Structures are given as structure tokens and as C-alpha cells.
Amino acid sequence: TVTDNAGLTSTATMQLVVKQVETTQSVLSQDFVTTETFIVYPNPAHDVTTVKITSQVTGTVKITVYDMNGRQVLVAQTVKTGDVVTKTLNISSLASGMYTVQITIGNQKTMVTKFIKS
């Protein structure tokens, strides 16, 4: 039951059923399981930071760093041939503050995260 600011209420009923699924090889094949992560560490960082990308998408990775005003301040590139790739970025010339990092893998997959330069 929910009540709005005017005191009006509405009620709904829902039934949730949890069933155990057998974990056979076919259920856990790559067609059904995908884990994608994009992290920047250490965060906060001082002189260098590392980008770590986990994804099944492969190809050229374009890494673009933007300041909080949306200005492009750093561009790097690497090639991703497996599920995981890392790239260390030299951020020593950047001013202290928060930055946005955008990666594009093979013109197919785009991910975004943020880091703090101390």
C-alpha cells in the first residue's frame, strides 16, 4: 500500500516465486552469462591511474578523459583481444578534481566511469 502527499492510497498485491535452476553447462554458457566491468584504480589517483575493462567485446579501445566542464583532456588507445584489458594513464599533468572516463571498444560498446585526481 502506498500513500501520496494528499493522503490518497493505492494497494497492489504481488506474488514472487523463487525457483532453483539447475546449473548445467548449457545454462551457464557464454550465451547466458555476461559480466562487464569498467573500473579506474587507484581512485583517487595522483600521477597515474589504471583503466581495467572486462567485456566479451574485443577490438580497438579508445579511452577519452573529460574534465567536469566537458573538455577532452586526455586520449589514449589500446587493443583488446581477450575478455580483460588494462591500460595505465599518466594523469600527472591534470589539475586536481573529478574527471569522467569514457571508453569505446571496437565501435560497439561504450562505458563511462569517473575518477578523482588528487
Side-chain angles (χ1 to χ4, degrees):
T1 302
V2 294
T3 305
D4 68 10
N5 292 344
L8 299 173
T9 62
S10 179
T11 302
T13 303
M14 182 179 105
Q15 181 179 11
L16 174 66
V17 177
V18 179
K19 294 184 178 182
Q20 184 173 350
V21 176
E22 291 184 36
T23 55
T24 63
Q25 183 62 31
S26 63
V27 172
L28 295 178
S29 71
Q30 285 188 331
D31 293 338
F32 296 98
V33 176
T34 59
T35 301
E36 296 184 322
T37 59
F38 171 36
I39 60 171
V40 177
Y41 63 91
N43 189 4
H46 185 50
D47 291 326
V48 295
T49 192
T50 301
V51 172
K52 181 178 179 184
I53 305 158
T54 304
S55 172
Q56 293 177 353
V57 179
T58 58
T60 300
V61 178
K62 181 179 179 185
I63 305 164
T64 309
V65 178
Y66 299 93
D67 66 14
M68 285 294 97
N69 293 316
R71 290 183 297 244
Q72 180 179 300
V73 294
L74 181 68
V75 175
Q77 190 169 297
T78 190
V79 176
K80 186 173 175 302
T81 58
D83 287 345
V84 179
V85 68
T86 59
K87 174 77 173 173
T88 300
L89 304 176
N90 181 346
I91 60 168
S92 61
S93 64
L94 300 180
S96 296
M98 185 178 296
Y99 292 85
T100 300
V101 184
Q102 176 180 310
I103 57 116
T104 303
I105 309 168
N107 292 324
Q108 299 176 48
K109 181 73 178 176
T110 300
M111 293 189 265
V112 176
T113 192
K114 293 183 180 178
F115 75 91
I116 295 173
K117 162 73 162 69
S118 58

